[in-house]
Amino acid sequence: MRLLCVILPHFYWRCEARRRPDLESRPAIITRASGSQKVVMDHSPDLDDLERDMPLQQALSRHGQAVLLHADIPHYRTVFNGMLDGLETVSPLVEGPEPGLAYVGIDGLQLLYPDDDALIGAVRKVIPDAFTPLFGIA
């Protein structure tokens, strides 16, 4: 079985930047609660020294001027589910194990998409421009 993997880097931050275009030019950290502690869920791409689940205090020691945003999980799920619906127009076999990651079954699509470039072009059309997908076929 052939699969197309679609990865959407900084998915949560890009969801926020679509709602607040001013974030495009500012460093931002999206936080979530982990027990009694706040941790980094995502961040703007320019803050490349941060990691997911890093304690917020540690992230702020590196980027104290960053805008802090509380994670809006229902919004992220809605956006991602819309993308999954779009991917289902390309192939009926779509799985999204977590927001920002999708697998698309591509066996039998050769009549619709004669090569991998045509398939990836169709997938790009259903993903909003604010997202920069990465693709892999296996």
Side-chain angles (χ1 to χ4, degrees):
M1 171 183 247
R2 289 187 58 191
L3 290 174
L4 170 67
C5 176
V6 181
I7 300 172
L8 302 165
H10 296 286
F11 175 78
Y12 305 110
W13 178 81
R14 294 198 185 279
C15 286
E16 293 293 346
R18 285 178 71 201
R19 291 198 291 191
R20 292 186 47 194
D22 65 302
L23 291 177
E24 287 285 345
S25 61
R26 299 171 64 195
I29 301 172
I30 299 172
T31 67
R32 67 173 181 80
S34 178
S36 63
Q37 185 177 2
K38 284 193 173 192
V39 296
V40 173
M41 182 171 180
D42 200 4
H43 53 83
S44 52
D46 57 324
L47 303 180
D48 58 3
D49 60 341
L50 300 184
E51 297 176 19
R52 186 176 181 143
D53 295 328
M54 174 185 279
L56 179 60
Q57 226 24 53
Q58 185 179 355
L60 288 175
S61 72
R62 297 178 185 184
H63 302 284
Q65 301 302 319
V67 175
L68 296 180
L69 304 166
H70 182 69
D72 186 349
I73 304 298
H75 174 68
Y76 307 146
R77 288 187 201 277
T78 299
V79 171
F80 190 61
N81 286 337
M83 287 186 197
L84 293 177
D85 291 344
L87 290 172
E88 287 177 347
T89 66
V90 176
S91 169
L93 302 173
V94 175
E95 287 188 29
E98 65 181 73
L101 174 63
Y103 297 104
V104 181
I106 58 175
D107 281 343
L109 298 179
Q110 294 83 1
L111 292 176
L112 295 172
Y113 312 105
D115 57 34
D116 293 343
D117 289 336
L119 173 67
I120 289 172
V123 169
R124 282 186 188 275
K125 288 181 183 175
V126 300
I127 296 175
D129 291 338
F131 297 89
T132 54
L134 302 174
F135 301 102
I137 296 177

